[in-house]
Amino acid sequence: SQKLMELEADNSYLKYLYPKITRQISEFVEEECDKMEYEGSLMYDECPDPVMVRKLTAGIYEAVKDRYQPPEGEDKEETLAMNRETYRRYPPEQNWLSDLIQTLLVDEMFRRRSRRRNSRQWS
């Protein structure tokens, strides 16, 4: 419908306003969501499983981490020795990059779930 096309165009433009790193990671997130565009997919569960969302996040993280080199492993331990609060917030394998990926993933899932719901309403 016309309304749905307008929403998609608006969404595309607003995504263009993301910072460059966010736009790049968003491409990986969209590819992952493309794989879940089928009936009965986790993406369309009434309450998507948080463990599965974290697994998807971890898969995307593995694909992009070398490009962005977030603090993890030994470097991370040294940094965190100075700041225990940060350590509690970011256990091993989690950092700003995994937070960003999970946020983009959940946001993209929401967008696709809404689009699917709306296309059913307006068809």
Side-chain angles (χ1 to χ4, degrees), residues 14 17 22 36-37 39 65 80 87 108 115 119 123:
L14 291 173
L17 298 176
T22 309
M36 294 190 293
E37 285 280 357
E39 199 64 42
K65 73 175 182 178
L80 296 174
Y87 184 74
E108 183 65 17
R115 180 179 65 199
S119 67
S123 56

Side-chain angles (χ1 to χ4, degrees), residues 2-18 111:
Q2 182 66 30
K3 180 126 176 97
L4 204 52
M5 285 171 34
E6 287 171 16
L7 287 171
E8 288 295 321
D10 192 38
N11 182 63
S12 293
Y13 177 72
L14 291 173
K15 279 186 171 182
Y16 168 75
L17 298 176
Y18 280 170
R111 189 180 71 79

